[in-house]
Amino acid sequence: MLNRLSSVLQSAADALAPPPPPLEDLKYHWKMVMRFYAQRTIQSRFPIEETNIPSHLEQLLKILIAEDTSTKASTDGSCTSAGPCLEFLLQHRLLELLVSLARADSPPGMRRYLLGYLRRLVTSISPHLLTLASIHLPLLRIVVLCSQSKASPTEAEEIEYLLALCQIIHRQPYLSIIFNKETKPSQGSGSSSSVCSTALPVSSPTQEHSPVKNSEEARKQVDQGRSSPGTINIQQFSSESEILKTVSNSVTDELLKNPTSDRIDQMLKEGSKRNESDPSSAQNIGDNRKPSDQSLSASLVTENNVLPNRQEKNSDSDGGRNEKGCNYRQDEVFGDRSRTTSGSCTPEPFPIEDLSETEIIEGSIPLLDAVLSFINSPDSGTKLHVCEAILMLVSVADDTFSSAIARTSNLGLVMAEKLTSSFQEIPADIDPDHFEDIPQNWGPNNSQLWLEHHAFPGCRLVASFVSWLNFCDQLTVESPYEVAESVAAAVRALFFEIELESELRTGDAVRQQLITNIVSLSLRHISSTMLLSEVYAWLMGDMTEDGSESQVLSLRQLLLNNCLHSEINLSRSSMRLFELLLESCDEQVLNFLVMRYLNRRAYYDTSTHHDKSSMESWSDEEDARELEGVKINRGEDSSGLSSRTFAPRNIHKIIDSFLQLLPSSLRSSTDYQESGYHQYIAEAQRQYTTNVQMCSTMHWGTEATFQEEEEETETNQPFTVGPFLQMIFERLRGLPQQPYEMNLQLTALVSRLAMLPHPYLHEFLLNPLLPLVPGTTSLYSTLQAVAKEMQTALAGIPNCKKTLVRTRQELLGDMSYHHDSTRESSCLFESVVVLEEFNKELAAIAYVKYHHHS
Amino acid sequence: MSYAYLFKYIIIGDTGVGKSCLLLQFTDKRFQPVHDLTIGVEFGARMITIDGKQIKLQIWDTAGQEAFRSITRSYYRGAAGALLVYDITRRETFNHLTTWLEDARQHSNSNMVIMLIGNKSDLETRREVKKEEGEAFAHEHGLIFMETSAKTAANVEEAFINTAKEIYEKIQEGVFDINNEANGIKIGPQHSPTNPNLPQSGQGAGQGGGCC
């Protein structure tokens, strides 16, 4: 009410008299704000809304912005001149005082108001002004204030303030140095002349050794800004009563006006003592306050003729305030105090903070620490701002800044912890099959649509986990290398290695399946190559591991064992995981799974050949082609030549081998459309083209030939297909007994493998005509054995063909399929159909590869 | 408050040579034995009198550390005077003068008056750079030169005031275009309010009871 009334009165006054010059106007509003505090004793605790403070501060802001705008206009942008209002703001350290009021939250609501106020201030003024110590130091103190408050009622305003600062640095990377404490060791500047008995205890600049010390220094640097032993000002008083006390003290001192130079010395000493003693007691502060104010008076007196402040003050008091004299005087004093402690324009000081208040371990970038302190906020708006702010900071185009983030911040750790805790919140009894189609998004409407259609218990928690996973991923994508590396490493260590792996090793089959699905989900959602390669490295084991398995079961082997697990769901999930791994076409993954076992071509039976030239090619027919002289230079990748490995002359023979693998009595497809392999070609074509593209960097070549130098050194080692192919072959042998879903997953995995454009892998899997070392199991021989087993098993069953046809119709046809588990033989019939289709698919893959390379 | 001219200064030089202490001594008449490193830029202002005219100095005290160089550079423009400071007890701060000078010349207007300052003259026993060397450097590059001590205040006033005198003379000679603010010079307001209370009391009446 009064608030509004006063602004009406003010506009009335404006209309009657022309508005005063901006500086006078500014001073007036500032004084009015200060008057409020001077009169505080007679006021009850009105909330800020019932005071005039906001309206005065708004005017102040308007004046400052107007001046800043006109300065910018007159000096074409990057100016370094200070208009009178800005000068007043700098000299009298207005922001510092405001920050103290925000800390004290006086009157109630002041903190909330000032958080918004300062945010509007920094976003409105030229960013260049942030280079000024008297502007950025108070702002940084608010940043620290934000990082200390957990779940405060002003959370929304705090994170908005932080986000605004992050945006400014993001747009003006050169300002990042201001917010990077790493470049500011607290070691005093002057090396030589700083010899003084009252010197501050100077902390060591080597911060990384002791985190506690580090945090202490960190706080010191931000909170004090610049510590000067002699000067104390209002900033240090965190409570309202202290502020009031100061006001009255300063009034007394002002009236006394009895300064002596030795008092100043005393003050200097006391000031330095304060650093060691506990500065938080009000008594202590009060005591120290006096000399400080006297130093003010001293300086005013001695420099009476020089300092503009003084002149101004004289004219003010000379102006004669009669009945209001006392109040006015207090205002003036208060105003002067802030001016004087901060000095007549001097590069001076902030107060020494009470360091015992909090002992947070901090990195060198308090802004980032503050943002990260909001990460556990339950509020989705806050969470979104946190994510935005982090992305802004990591993508600041300044190497020093990002390097400091990578080396000194907790960013990686915090993100990994957040990811882990959001994973832990997922209910244990959730259906692991619910993870398949969760959309990627960490934004505001993350997965809303998905959630609407998937209302299962815990779905929100799953969505929350996925959104954090997506955010970690995006963070590693958008961060500079060093930062991304630290985040990816932390996520691997904390989330994958510690959290997921321990569960995989100790959990029961259901739990293991859930974890396996989470890993699969991660693989699908992660797009950052750096994070992906960390996950691959985790899954596959260390690079150095050199064939020799340690006593501890490697995670890779554990997952392979799970593929053979009797619990079908776990087994299927594990195979799905490997399918995703193959899909990635990652060199390390492929190497660990298959390539390292095939890479010497040791499966190839050389004993049937006598001369070297024929040894190097891979089938009798190809040898014949070579002898005809079709190909002169072997092993060349020149584009004009087609590949003998992928595109052999006998391709039709190969395709037929697959199509005829199952005896015709067991084939259930009836019409031509179904009996051919053409239906699989389009899909195979699409996938193979993608694969060729993805694998092009690995330079696999297109011909399967021996590498000469290796031949002699490693001939003695017998060929083994490795645990991965062993697992696949073993599962394939079980085809007739396994449930339909399992077999589908299995054949999907194998065709994924057959789709890779590696010449050895290709000939080993897809060329039944290849001479193999005796005793070697191949895909073809395994399938042959399975076909034989099926034939034997079905021989005794009457109406076998009919049942097969019906099963096919049930599985592939329009009829909705109802799995009849009571019928013992249904598995068998289904698997025969699966095998028939699988053979066609393999034929299609061979065909597609042939076409691609000829 | 009223002034005839406003000059903008910039203080530059290696870290730890005493730039902030010089400013503090000049504006506050006191010496702070331990001073934290300047972060970004500090601001100071003071009124002086030259030739009977009030002149306001706005001084930008920059951070000496290399990391802040780009920020420092942004302050060269629009400065009428520069104090280039080295530490007479540390030879390397003298050796770096050439780099500083190049930087200053490249980013400032050509008329900027540069005052070379050898600071910490109170530490005679630890002197590494002779006064003659400073003089020679200044002479070679056309700078004014002084040795100062921010601790004892010796020559501090003179350093700031002499620089202002040089700028003032250049104005008298017509070298500076005083209407171009990019030169770091501003003419004072013609009518500065002699009684600033007037508008205030007018508003104060309206606002008086508003606080409570």
Side-chain angles (χ1 to χ4, degrees):
Chain A
M1 266 281 281
L2 287 169
N3 198 356
R4 221 166 279 162
L5 180 68
S6 71
S7 38
V8 170
L9 283 171
Q10 188 177 337
S11 36
D14 280 357
L16 293 172
L23 178 60
E24 295 312 319
D25 207 12
L26 182 94
K27 278 183 188 168
Y28 163 75
H29 289 293
W30 182 243
K31 242 171 232 168
M32 292 315 284
V33 172
M34 288 301 108
R35 168 180 287 186
F36 172 83
Y37 291 95
Q39 294 174 338
R40 198 80 178 85
T41 38
I42 54 163
Q43 288 170 345
S44 52
R45 294 183 61 85
F46 282 128
I48 187 166
E49 292 79 14
E50 292 175 30
T51 72
N52 255 344
I53 293 181
S55 78
H56 287 299
L57 287 178
E58 291 307 321
Q59 290 301 320
L60 204 86
L61 183 62
K62 243 187 232 169
I63 297 166
L64 281 171
I65 293 172
E67 183 189 86
D68 187 50
T69 314
S70 71
T71 316
K72 250 188 291 185
S74 69
T75 51
D76 61 61
S78 73
C79 64
T80 57
S81 69
C85 296
L86 176 63
E87 194 182 309
F88 183 84
L89 177 96
L90 296 176
Q91 286 195 308
H92 300 168
R93 309 239 160 190
L94 264 47
L95 291 187
E96 284 177 16
L97 196 63
L98 289 181
V99 166
S100 293
L101 296 175
R103 286 178 66 98
D105 198 19
S106 160
M110 187 65 169
R111 175 177 300 183
R112 184 191 302 274
Y113 172 73
L114 279 179
L115 281 164
Y117 183 80
L118 291 173
R119 177 177 52 79
R120 282 180 290 133
L121 177 79
V122 292
T123 45
S124 317
I125 57 173
S126 351
H128 194 65
L129 294 180
L130 287 186
T131 56
L132 292 165
S134 13
I135 289 184
H136 66 244
L137 289 176
L139 294 179
L140 269 169
R141 292 182 68 226
I142 290 281
V143 168
V144 172
L145 187 70
C146 292
S147 67
Q148 288 168 356
S149 59
K150 288 261 151 66
S152 77
T154 55
E155 183 184 270
E157 287 82 4
E158 288 174 28
I159 190 68
E160 277 170 13
Y161 168 79
L162 295 174
L163 180 61
L165 280 183
C166 295
Q167 275 164 340
I168 291 172
I169 304 176
H170 180 78
R171 287 185 201 134
Q172 311 284 342
Y174 79 101
L175 291 176
S176 66
I177 188 75
I178 298 285
F179 294 85
N180 181 359
K181 284 190 298 182
E182 210 183 22
T183 50
K184 300 151 210 159
S186 62
Q187 173 70 50
S189 54
S191 55
S192 38
S193 63
S194 318
V195 195
C196 180
S197 58
T198 59
L200 269 175
V202 177
S203 14
S204 142
T206 54
Q207 303 192 351
E208 52 276 5
H209 298 309
S210 148
V212 178
K213 186 162 191 179
N214 183 11
S215 74
E216 214 168 283
E217 279 176 20
R219 279 184 44 72
K220 252 194 201 163
Q221 284 179 22
V222 180
D223 283 4
Q224 290 163 222
R226 12 200 67 258
S227 63
S228 88
T231 329
I232 304 131
N233 69 14
I234 192 151
Q235 269 64 30
Q236 72 207 43
F237 310 122
S238 50
S239 84
E240 190 191 341
S241 64
E242 282 166 358
I243 292 179
L244 290 173
K245 189 158 193 162
T246 336
V247 175
S248 52
N249 273 340
S250 54
V251 175
T252 335
D253 289 337
E254 178 70 12
L255 293 171
L256 283 174
K257 244 183 199 170
N258 184 22
T260 54
S261 60
D262 48 302
R263 289 296 295 272
I264 296 171
D265 282 352
Q266 184 199 342
M267 168 203 77
L268 276 167
K269 276 177 200 148
E270 276 180 33
S272 67
K273 263 187 233 152
R274 271 189 70 258
N275 291 313
E276 289 136 38
S277 63
D278 176 16
S280 62
S281 98
Q283 186 57 49
N284 203 353
I285 289 166
D287 287 349
N288 283 309
R289 207 28 244 152
K290 291 178 188 170
S292 166
D293 282 319
Q294 284 177 354
S295 85
L296 134 67
S297 320
S299 66
L300 286 175
V301 168
T302 51
E303 295 157 31
N304 201 0
N305 299 324
V306 185
L307 292 173
N309 292 339
R310 184 57 192 165
Q311 295 171 345
E312 206 178 291
K313 188 177 152 65
N314 281 340
S315 67
D316 277 352
S317 32
D318 291 345
R321 309 251 146 206
N322 300 326
E323 66 276 8
K324 275 202 236 164
C326 187
N327 279 346
Y328 186 73
R329 204 169 177 86
Q330 281 189 351
D331 292 350
E332 194 59 22
V333 165
F334 206 168
D336 266 355
R337 240 184 75 314
S338 69
R339 160 193 312 164
T340 323
T341 47
S342 38
S344 344
C345 355
T346 55
E348 206 183 350
F350 261 60
I352 290 106
E353 284 278 322
D354 178 5
L355 294 180
S356 60
E357 203 178 306
T358 37
E359 288 286 340
I360 320 168
I361 310 251
E362 286 179 2
S364 61
I365 299 170
L367 186 54
L368 180 59
D369 294 330
V371 168
L372 290 178
S373 74
F374 288 89
I375 203 156
N376 288 316
S377 165
D379 183 88
S380 63
T382 303
K383 182 190 143 184
L384 182 65
H385 283 333
V386 167
C387 293
E388 287 170 339
I390 293 174
L391 287 179
M392 293 267 176
L393 285 184
V394 295
S395 53
V396 167
D398 184 282
D399 291 345
T400 321
F401 192 70
S402 47
S403 153
I405 291 180
R407 282 178 295 106
T408 70
S409 79
N410 290 336
L411 178 63
L413 204 66
V414 171
M415 293 321 302
E417 274 170 359
K418 185 66 205 174
L419 187 62
T420 307
S421 67
S422 64
F423 161 73
Q424 285 164 343
E425 280 167 22
I426 297 177
D429 57 351
I430 204 161
D431 183 350
D433 288 331
H434 276 319
F435 299 159
E436 274 295 322
D437 55 349
I438 300 179
Q440 306 236 1
N441 200 350
W442 58 269
N445 305 315
N446 60 350
S447 23
Q448 268 316 321
L449 201 69
W450 181 81
L451 282 171
E452 277 164 26
H453 295 93
H454 295 75
F456 59 88
C459 59
R460 286 188 182 278
L461 296 167
V462 173
S464 159
F465 163 73
V466 171
S467 77
W468 281 113
L469 179 69
N470 288 158
F471 181 69
C472 287
D473 178 45
Q474 193 178 357
L475 190 58
T476 40
V477 169
E478 297 199 1
S479 300
Y481 186 83
E482 219 180 329
V483 177
E485 211 179 24
S486 70
V487 173
V491 168
R492 173 187 168 177
L494 255 72
F495 177 63
F496 288 106
E497 282 182 351
I498 294 179
E499 184 66 22
L500 294 192
E501 188 168 339
S502 64
E503 293 237 39
L504 268 178
R505 288 183 184 278
T506 57
D508 58 11
V510 178
R511 190 68 185 159
Q512 286 194 42
Q513 193 207 344
L514 178 81
I515 306 295
T516 308
N517 283 4
I518 292 277
V519 176
S520 296
L521 177 141
S522 306
L523 287 179
R524 282 199 311 273
H525 278 246
I526 296 173
S527 59
S528 147
T529 46
M530 193 179 285
L531 193 52
L532 271 179
S533 65
E534 290 287 356
V535 180
Y536 295 150
W538 166 63
L539 287 171
M540 292 297 117
D542 277 332
M543 267 296 294
T544 47
E545 187 200 351
D546 176 41
S548 56
E549 301 287 331
S550 61
Q551 307 90 321
V552 188
L553 185 66
S554 73
L555 182 61
R556 173 165 38 103
Q557 193 56 53
L558 180 108
L559 291 169
L560 286 171
N561 292 351
N562 278 351
C563 290
L564 297 169
H565 203 280
S566 57
E567 195 62 57
I568 291 302
N569 284 334
L570 171 59
S571 168
R572 207 158 46 93
S573 287
S574 304
M575 268 195 267
R576 170 81 181 121
L577 173 60
F578 278 101
E579 189 192 341
L580 283 167
L581 281 169
L582 292 181
E583 220 172 292
S584 72
C585 291
D586 180 77
E587 191 167 17
Q588 287 310 322
V589 169
L590 295 176
N591 187 36
F592 269 113
L593 292 181
V594 282
M595 297 315 173
R596 66 199 297 198
Y597 304 101
L598 301 180
N599 65 5
R600 283 182 299 108
R601 214 187 180 196
Y603 50 83
Y604 191 95
D605 186 10
T606 53
S607 60
T608 53
H609 299 275
H610 302 292
D611 66 299
K612 195 167 156 65
S613 65
S614 59
M615 240 165 61
E616 284 161 356
S617 66
W618 57 275
S619 76
D620 291 343
E621 301 220 354
E622 292 312 299
D623 293 343
R625 181 163 78 172
E626 183 170 327
L627 289 173
E628 281 162 25
V630 173
K631 189 172 190 309
I632 298 139
N633 301 315
R634 62 166 180 86
E636 284 202 2
D637 292 331
S638 63
S639 52
L641 290 169
S642 63
S643 161
R644 281 182 299 151
T645 304
F646 291 111
R649 274 195 172 179
N650 51 7
I651 181 67
H652 291 297
K653 212 168 168 181
I654 291 172
I655 288 172
D656 279 346
S657 313
F658 281 112
L659 293 178
Q660 309 293 327
L661 198 142
L662 200 64
S664 57
S665 61
L666 298 187
R667 282 179 242 155
S668 48
S669 45
T670 44
D671 55 20
Y672 172 77
Q673 197 71 34
E674 275 186 352
S675 61
Y677 59 92
H678 300 94
Q679 48 179 324
Y680 290 101
I681 285 179
E683 177 59 16
Q685 186 91 49
R686 191 190 61 77
Q687 279 193 31
Y688 189 63
T689 316
T690 318
N691 279 357
V692 168
Q693 224 164 20
M694 288 175 78
C695 297
S696 61
T697 52
M698 289 182 254
H699 305 293
W700 278 339
T702 53
E703 294 296 350
T705 53
F706 285 107
Q707 286 157 9
E708 288 165 38
E709 68 273 19
E710 285 179 21
E711 241 179 303
E712 281 121 57
T713 52
E714 299 183 58
T715 39
N716 292 333
Q717 287 190 12
F719 172 69
T720 161
V721 294
F724 181 62
L725 283 174
Q726 262 166 20
M727 178 275 289
I728 286 179
F729 292 160
E730 194 175 332
R731 269 294 177 203
L732 282 175
R733 278 192 290 272
L735 208 63
Q737 294 84 38
Q738 289 162 181
Y740 177 64
E741 293 80 8
M742 174 78 207
N743 286 339
L744 278 189
Q745 177 61 65
L746 175 64
T747 53
L749 178 64
V750 178
S751 59
R752 188 50 83 174
L753 190 62
M755 206 79 81
L756 292 169
H758 189 283
Y760 290 180
L761 187 63
H762 172 83
E763 64 172 6
F764 183 72
L765 290 179
L766 290 180
N767 185 2
L769 311 174
L770 195 72
L772 292 175
V773 171
T776 306
T777 317
S778 74
L779 176 62
Y780 190 76
S781 68
T782 309
L783 294 178
Q784 261 182 327
V786 170
K788 196 168 256 176
E789 190 190 328
M790 288 171 170
Q791 198 173 18
T792 322
L794 290 175
I797 299 178
N799 286 332
C800 150
K801 184 95 177 186
K802 224 180 215 171
T803 317
L804 272 177
V805 171
R806 207 188 64 236
T807 309
R808 156 176 292 274
Q809 282 168 347
E810 282 172 350
L811 292 178
L812 307 169
D814 299 329
M815 251 182 275
S816 60
Y817 171 65
H818 300 293
H819 180 84
D820 188 358
S821 51
T822 54
R823 230 171 42 213
E824 203 179 87
S825 53
S826 70
C827 250
L828 177 62
F829 285 110
E830 284 161 10
S831 66
V832 174
V833 178
V834 169
L835 182 60
E836 185 184 346
E837 293 307 305
F838 182 45
N839 287 335
K840 289 184 207 163
E841 192 177 356
L842 289 175
I845 294 171
Y847 177 81
V848 162
K849 281 178 156 183
Y850 166 84
H851 261 284
H852 193 93
H853 292 278
S854 61
Chain B
M1 195 61 206
S2 84
Y3 52 84
Y5 292 108
L6 184 150
F7 295 165
K8 279 170 213 153
Y9 279 16
I10 174 172
I11 313 183
I12 52 174
D14 275 10
T15 181
V17 297
K19 297 182 293 299
S20 298
C21 289
L22 281 169
L23 178 60
L24 186 62
Q25 183 60 258
F26 178 66
T27 56
D28 261 29
K29 302 248 186 292
R30 57 189 191 90
F31 175 66
Q32 201 173 302
V34 176
H35 206 290
D36 271 7
L37 290 180
T38 302
I39 303 162
V41 175
E42 289 281 1
F43 174 78
R46 210 189 102 176
M47 205 73 93
I48 57 170
T49 312
I50 289 173
D51 203 10
K53 291 211 166 73
Q54 290 277 77
I55 290 176
K56 179 167 193 166
L57 299 184
Q58 268 191 355
I59 305 151
W60 307 93
D61 166 32
T62 65
Q65 281 175 292
E66 181 64 40
F68 291 95
R69 208 50 52 88
S70 66
I71 291 181
T72 299
R73 286 197 188 108
S74 68
Y75 280 85
Y76 282 117
R77 255 191 62 204
L83 304 191
L84 172 54
V85 189
Y86 68 93
D87 177 352
I88 64 157
T89 69
R90 276 156 67 213
R91 164 69 62 180
E92 76 268 18
T93 65
F94 181 76
N95 294 341
H96 293 157
L97 288 179
T98 327
T99 325
W100 280 109
L101 202 57
E102 277 170 13
D103 228 29
R105 292 251 149 95
Q106 193 187 335
H107 296 95
S108 65
N109 69 68
S110 52
N111 291 320
M112 183 170 80
V113 172
I114 303 176
M115 161 74 82
L116 180 66
I117 291 178
N119 193 27
K120 306 191 186 176
S121 63
D122 53 301
L123 300 173
E124 192 55 48
T125 49
R126 286 156 60 187
R127 181 187 280 276
E128 282 182 14
V129 183
K130 283 191 220 127
K131 191 174 180 183
E132 293 72 29
E133 294 175 87
E135 276 166 351
F137 186 91
H139 183 73
E140 184 187 341
H141 296 94
L143 320 173
I144 334 171
F145 174 71
M146 284 193 129
E147 279 197 353
T148 62
S149 165
K151 190 178 182 182
T152 67
N155 272 344
V156 173
E157 288 274 314
E158 291 79 352
F160 282 89
I161 290 171
N162 289 357
T163 309
K165 279 183 182 155
E166 183 89 359
I167 297 168
Y168 186 75
E169 276 166 27
K170 281 196 175 184
I171 294 174
Q172 305 300 312
E173 291 161 12
V175 178
F176 271 121
D177 173 13
I178 48 173
N179 292 316
N180 183 357
E181 264 197 58
N183 285 328
I185 296 162
K186 213 167 125 183
I187 310 173
Q190 297 298 313
H191 317 282
S192 82
T194 46
N195 187 356
N197 298 324
L198 256 173
Q200 283 165 15
S201 49
Q203 285 179 356
Q207 297 272 350
C211 285
C212 27

